Amino acid sequence: MKKYRLGDEIRLWHWQNGESKTTTPLRQIIATTDFSDIVSGTKGGWVEDESALAHEGNCWIYDENSVVFGRASVLGNARITQPCVISHNAWIGGDCWVDGAQISHGARISDNVTVQHSDIRGECHIFGNARVLHHSQIIAAKGLTPDNDQILQIYGNATVSQSRVVHQAQIYGDALVNYAFIEHRAEVFDNAILEGNELNNVWVCDCAKVYGNARLIAGKDDDAIPTLRYSSQVAENAVIEGNCVIKHHVLIGGQAWLRGGPIMIDDKVVIQGRVRISGDVLIEHRIEITDDAVIEAFAGENIHLRGEKVINGNQRITRTPLLGAL
């Protein structure tokens, strides 16, 4: 049995198709029976045809300013509230709640996902209990890396807020991402937290990974942007805060704590244990730092450590060592 009919009035929806403008005729959905919280006669959004909204389940397009077209589908018990634009082969099903959002170009939203005031575009899958909130942008693109078939995914209990996630990135587990930029094949998972702010985002790029209970925290000063790149990883209980750039296969774990001023860690450096690093510090090329070691550059000074060496125990470094001193 059909739960709605299409109204007689036609609304022309204008949208941009590349450089040309395109017009799609839409008709309004009108309930013909009572179901869920809908009563017969209730008017909803506007659709291109009946393939846009399933008659099965309790799915409904609540807002009269919402539109669904371009072979997009709303199914199951999905709820579409506030003005939404759903188009171009997007698929929304399960018990999802999409509120004031734009979903398009092959995006797939399923299970118990919540999307609020955000834009999701491209071939991706958002599922589980994931949430995409507060003007986030999810822009999926395949074929930019050797993993041509990998698609962008956000799932589990992950939350993305006020962030931009692009290409083939993966966010899952109980990860919390706020004011961040995540691109290419980067991964954020487990209980990891990326905490940017209205001035500075956290950046996780390329094939970098943040996981375990690790935290990356942006500051509010100029350039206080934690940046993780080129297959580097931050894991376990490590905390990276402020102006820190970490790149080229660096591994930071344990209970390490880095506070930028600025800090650059580059080229297969391993930092573990209860290490503390702060101030203007450059560490590069196959250095291992463990245990309770402290590297601290005081105001107006800088420290440069380079070359294959181990810094461990209770060593405390406050200035660049003389050649051969380590």
Side-chain angles (χ1 to χ4, degrees):
M1 182 179 70
K2 291 188 175 183
K3 66 185 181 187
Y4 70 89
R5 64 178 179 85
L6 299 181
D8 296 329
E9 180 184 355
I10 293 178
R11 175 182 178 184
L12 297 179
W13 181 257
H14 304 283
W15 54 280
Q16 198 76 21
N17 182 16
E19 296 183 356
S20 61
K21 292 184 178 180
T22 301
T23 300
T24 298
L26 305 175
R27 295 167 67 187
Q28 191 171 27
I29 57 173
I30 303 171
T32 55
T33 187
D34 296 347
F35 63 95
S36 185
D37 56 351
I38 302 300
V39 297
S40 181
T42 299
K43 294 182 178 180
W46 296 71
V47 300
E48 187 170 9
D49 53 45
E50 291 190 22
S51 67
L53 178 68
H55 286 279
E56 298 77 18
N58 292 321
C59 55
W60 189 249
I61 305 166
Y62 285 79
D63 195 284
E64 293 189 42
N65 290 309
S66 289
V67 299
V68 182
F69 66 97
R71 297 185 300 279
S73 300
V74 177
L75 307 98
N77 298 314
R79 295 181 298 137
I80 311 301
T81 60
Q82 294 200 64
C84 292
V85 179
I86 300 168
S87 67
H88 299 93
N89 297 296
W91 188 98
I92 301 173
D95 294 301
C96 293
W97 176 28
V98 176
D99 182 58
Q102 298 186 56
I103 316 290
S104 67
H105 294 89
R108 182 180 176 90
I109 317 295
S110 64
D111 297 334
N112 297 299
V113 167
T114 298
V115 180
Q116 287 186 298
H117 304 290
S118 295
D119 184 2
I120 300 177
R121 284 181 277 158
E123 188 176 345
C124 62
H125 192 186
I126 319 295
F127 59 101
N129 297 307
R131 301 186 301 162
V132 179
L133 312 172
H134 302 134
H135 306 288
S136 291
Q137 287 188 311
I138 313 299
I139 312 298
K142 292 171 57 178
L144 299 178
T145 72
D147 296 331
N148 288 327
D149 294 329
Q150 179 172 303
I151 64 170
L152 187 155
Q153 297 184 108
I154 302 172
Y155 58 98
N157 295 309
T159 297
V160 175
S161 176
Q162 301 174 110
S163 296
R164 181 176 169 89
V165 181
V166 302
H167 303 150
Q168 297 163 298
Q170 309 287 304
I171 304 174
Y172 54 99
D174 293 298
L176 175 59
V177 174
N178 188 38
Y179 281 112
F181 174 58
I182 303 172
E183 70 166 351
H184 286 132
R185 286 180 292 166
E187 294 186 41
V188 182
F189 56 99
D190 291 339
N191 296 299
I193 296 176
L194 307 187
E195 187 62 55
N197 55 60
E198 64 276 6
L199 298 178
N200 293 317
N201 284 344
V202 173
W203 287 50
V204 180
C205 308
D206 311 308
C207 297
K209 296 182 180 181
V210 185
Y211 55 99
N213 296 307
R215 298 179 66 194
L216 273 62
I217 306 169
K220 293 192 175 181
D221 298 327
D222 290 344
D223 300 321
I225 303 169
T227 302
L228 189 66
R229 306 197 68 180
Y230 306 130
S231 299
S232 293
Q233 300 183 35
V234 179
E236 297 177 327
N237 296 298
V239 177
I240 311 297
E241 184 175 356
N243 187 357
C244 299
V245 177
I246 299 159
K247 58 184 182 177
H248 296 118
H249 301 277
V250 170
L251 175 60
I252 301 176
Q255 295 178 325
W257 177 74
L258 284 68
R259 186 173 185 179
I263 291 172
M264 179 177 289
I265 314 294
D266 190 11
D267 188 19
K268 298 180 180 178
V269 174
V270 176
I271 300 173
Q272 294 279 0
R274 293 166 295 279
V275 170
R276 298 291 182 267
I277 301 174
S278 62
D280 188 348
V281 175
L282 169 59
I283 300 172
E284 57 181 342
H285 189 54
R286 296 179 182 274
I287 296 178
E288 182 179 341
I289 309 172
T290 64
D291 301 330
D292 294 288
V294 175
I295 301 171
E296 181 180 16
F298 297 120
E301 300 185 6
N302 60 74
I303 297 173
H304 183 190
L305 303 176
R306 188 179 191 281
E308 297 189 34
K309 57 179 66 73
V310 176
I311 301 169
N312 57 15
N314 293 309
Q315 290 190 67
R316 183 182 182 90
I317 297 174
T318 59
R319 62 185 62 189
T320 300
L322 296 174
L323 185 63
L326 281 177

